[in-house]
Amino acid sequence: MEAGARGMHWKLLILSCLLADGMSQDFGQTQFICTSVPKDMDICAATLQNSVPGEDLKSTVMQLRETVLQQKETIMNQKETIRELTSKLTRCESQSASEPGDARVGGRRKETGTKNTMGDVSRGPTDTLAQLSRTLQSLKQRLENLEQFSRNNNSVQANSLKDLLQTKIDDLEKQVLSRVNGLEEVKPGLRNESEQRGRVESTLTSLHQRITDLEKGQKENRPLDKFQLTFPLRTNYMYAKVKKSLPEMYAFTVCMWLKSNASPGVGTPFSYAVPGQANELVLIEWGNNPMEMLINDKVAKLPFLINDGKWHHICITWTTRDGVWEAYQDGVMRGNGDSLAPYHPIKPQGVLILGQEQDTLGGGFDATQAFVGDMANFNIWDRKLSVGEIYNLATCSSKAQVGNVFSWLETSIEVYGGASKWTFEACRQLN
């Protein structure tokens, strides 16, 4: 037999043996015998003549089976290695994705930020601490005023409360110092940071409320309208809320005293939101834009210049018919226009906030749009006041009226986040 033919027959033989070994389990005790068959010979006859394979053939088959088993074991080991590597890679990716300030988007790392609940969302820890320090300074000033009042009036109760408040301030200063030291250490997790801010804000609010209660002790005989609101910091948590809503209005006049030196922009003196419309009625001066009046998201630019650190009286009138509006500063008309949300009545059942702009009903405050300064004598009418009526308000005339929709009373306003109430009488303490 030629060498090529012999090679071919051996390949056929090996293949037949492998197939026979793999199929033997399907035939019970049946045994398959592998035999070489000459090229031109009948397979059945050859099988009868050679009923027992040679030892060399048996050895070859065993070697092939051993090789197959070894390869199978190698493949299993490789699969296990791949599984372990995949598991480690998954854990690493999970840890990376959970790192503060990072997120994975489409396989690329994307820097993200967190909203700072103690001030402007763009502020860092240093600015936040500066705000806390200014707030503490304000509280200390108020305590000094209370101490002076206590010395002049020998009030045992005032002294007791003053000592309690001084202790509270000392505790708060320790918290601020702890935060300063913490800046030099490893940055805490976002959850711990949020909880810490929440505790400090809660302490501030409680402290302001205690001081306000103490101050009320020396204001018992003061008329309810002789006060001002103070917003010392540009934050997203300091505001005042009017306890009642507004009725449906087809015309209005809004007047108030404002004092601010904030720059750029004094912020949002007030905002009124209703379900489905956060900008139902808003007065805002944001960034380098002029002051604007928003009604149902429609805008009129107002010619006010008030951020000089002095008290100014402003009034805005509006009627739904043709959307006609007028703007008065210190009793004098400074501008007017029309087509401001014409034939759109101001909707009822909303939320009226002083000091913040609402992105959602009663919330969604943005520190960059917060009002910074003092406010007093905020009044609303459901009609257009005359030029003479507005002048009387600006000059504190005895003929000045109060709002028939909302009038300026301490009992009608709740303060939050450190906003405070102080004694104020228009025209006596101006500038």
Side-chain angles (χ1 to χ4, degrees):
M1 183 179 293
E2 296 179 359
R6 284 197 302 270
M8 181 62 68
H9 281 304
W10 274 108
K11 291 179 181 179
L12 290 174
L13 175 62
I14 292 171
L15 179 59
S16 300
C17 291
L18 290 174
L19 290 174
D21 180 71
M23 295 173 61
S24 63
Q25 59 184 346
D26 296 331
F27 291 88
Q29 300 299 321
T30 304
Q31 184 176 9
F32 288 84
I33 298 174
C34 299
T35 305
S36 60
V37 181
K39 181 177 180 180
D40 298 325
M41 187 175 182
D42 181 77
I43 294 178
C44 295
T47 301
L48 293 175
Q49 292 177 7
N50 302 285
S51 58
V52 180
E55 289 298 326
D56 56 343
L57 178 59
K58 182 178 179 179
S59 176
T60 301
V61 171
M62 293 302 294
Q63 289 177 2
L64 288 172
R65 289 186 63 185
E66 184 67 23
T67 300
V68 170
L69 290 175
Q70 289 177 354
Q71 290 177 345
K72 182 178 180 180
E73 184 177 0
T74 300
I75 291 173
M76 293 302 295
N77 292 335
Q78 290 175 345
K79 284 184 178 180
E80 184 63 27
T81 301
I82 292 171
R83 189 180 299 111
E84 291 180 1
L85 290 174
T86 303
S87 178
K88 291 180 180 179
L89 180 60
T90 302
R91 288 197 297 270
C92 290
E93 289 179 344
S94 298
Q95 292 173 358
S96 299
S98 62
E99 290 178 356
D102 290 337
R104 289 193 175 273
V105 180
R108 291 172 293 140
R109 185 175 294 276
K110 175 183 176 183
E111 296 295 327
T112 60
T114 57
K115 191 170 185 178
N116 186 347
T117 61
M118 297 202 67
D120 189 340
V121 293
S122 63
R123 296 179 184 271
T126 303
D127 292 327
T128 298
L129 291 170
Q131 286 190 350
L132 284 172
S133 298
R134 289 194 294 271
T135 301
L136 286 170
Q137 188 60 40
S138 173
L139 293 174
K140 287 184 176 181
Q141 182 62 47
R142 293 172 69 183
L143 273 177
E144 291 175 4
N145 294 338
L146 291 172
E147 289 175 347
Q148 182 65 38
F149 173 78
S150 298
R151 286 193 293 269
N152 295 339
N153 294 274
N154 295 320
S155 171
V156 176
Q157 181 182 12
N159 277 318
S160 177
L161 286 173
K162 182 265 296 181
D163 292 339
L164 177 61
L165 292 171
Q166 185 63 59
T167 302
K168 286 282 187 180
I169 284 183
D170 291 341
D171 291 341
L172 189 58
E173 285 184 314
K174 291 178 181 177
Q175 293 185 46
V176 174
L177 181 60
S178 175
R179 292 198 65 181
V180 172
N181 295 333
L183 292 177
E184 301 175 358
E185 300 174 357
V186 178
K187 182 180 178 181
L190 294 179
R191 181 177 179 182
N192 293 336
E193 183 76 9
S194 178
E195 290 176 352
Q196 187 177 18
R197 284 199 301 267
R199 287 194 296 269
V200 174
E201 290 177 17
S202 177
T203 303
L204 276 175
T205 301
S206 175
L207 187 55
H208 275 286
Q209 187 60 51
R210 286 180 176 273
I211 291 180
T212 299
D213 291 342
L214 178 55
E215 289 170 339
K216 285 181 179 178
Q218 52 179 291
K219 303 173 186 174
E220 291 179 352
N221 298 323
R222 186 191 72 194
L224 293 177
D225 62 334
K226 305 301 182 183
F227 75 102
Q228 71 180 53
L229 288 180
T230 297
F231 304 91
L233 304 174
R234 197 183 293 278
T235 73
N236 60 0
Y237 59 86
M238 190 178 295
Y239 66 100
K241 182 179 180 181
V242 174
K243 293 181 180 180
K244 62 180 292 185
S245 182
L246 301 181
E248 185 174 58
M249 295 188 296
Y250 293 86
F252 68 76
T253 300
V254 179
C255 297
M256 70 202 79
W257 287 95
L258 293 177
K259 179 182 179 181
S260 179
N261 59 2
S263 179
V266 302
T268 308
F270 77 91
S271 63
Y272 177 67
V274 298
Q277 178 53 277
N279 296 324
E280 183 68 5
L281 179 57
V282 182
L283 181 65
I284 184 172
E285 186 180 68
W286 184 29
N288 294 314
N289 301 309
M291 185 167 281
E292 299 174 337
M293 172 65 73
L294 279 67
I295 299 179
N296 192 34
D297 258 335
K298 307 302 185 293
V299 181
K301 298 185 182 301
L302 307 180
F304 291 148
L305 295 174
I306 62 172
N307 64 336
D308 55 2
K310 298 180 179 180
W311 281 103
H312 293 282
H313 187 265
I314 65 171
C315 281
I316 303 102
T317 70
W318 173 85
T319 57
T320 187
R321 182 184 176 94
D322 297 325
V324 176
W325 60 270
E326 295 175 347
Y328 295 80
Q329 180 174 323
D330 299 324
V332 179
M333 184 189 295
R334 299 297 178 91
N336 56 34
D338 56 18
S339 301
L340 175 58
Y343 304 101
H344 171 83
I346 302 300
K347 296 179 181 179
Q349 306 304 316
V351 177
L352 180 57
I353 297 291
L354 306 179
Q356 294 283 356
E357 194 274 334
Q358 304 174 66
D359 285 337
T360 59
L361 187 65
F365 304 145
D366 183 343
T368 63
Q369 298 175 330
F371 174 72
V372 181
D374 303 306
M375 177 189 305
N377 293 80
F378 179 85
N379 286 272
I380 303 177
W381 295 259
D382 60 0
R383 63 182 180 88
K384 177 183 176 180
L385 295 188
S386 67
V387 175
E389 290 174 318
I390 292 175
Y391 183 79
N392 288 338
L393 289 166
T395 56
C396 304
S397 169
S398 59
K399 298 179 181 180
Q401 304 180 32
V402 297
N404 67 331
V405 170
F406 176 77
S407 58
W408 186 248
L409 296 174
E410 269 197 81
T411 54
S412 301
I413 298 172
E414 295 177 330
V415 294
Y416 298 90
S420 56
K421 299 176 182 178
W422 294 79
T423 300
F424 174 81
E425 290 190 49
C427 295
R428 285 191 181 181
Q429 302 179 23
L430 296 184
N431 308 324

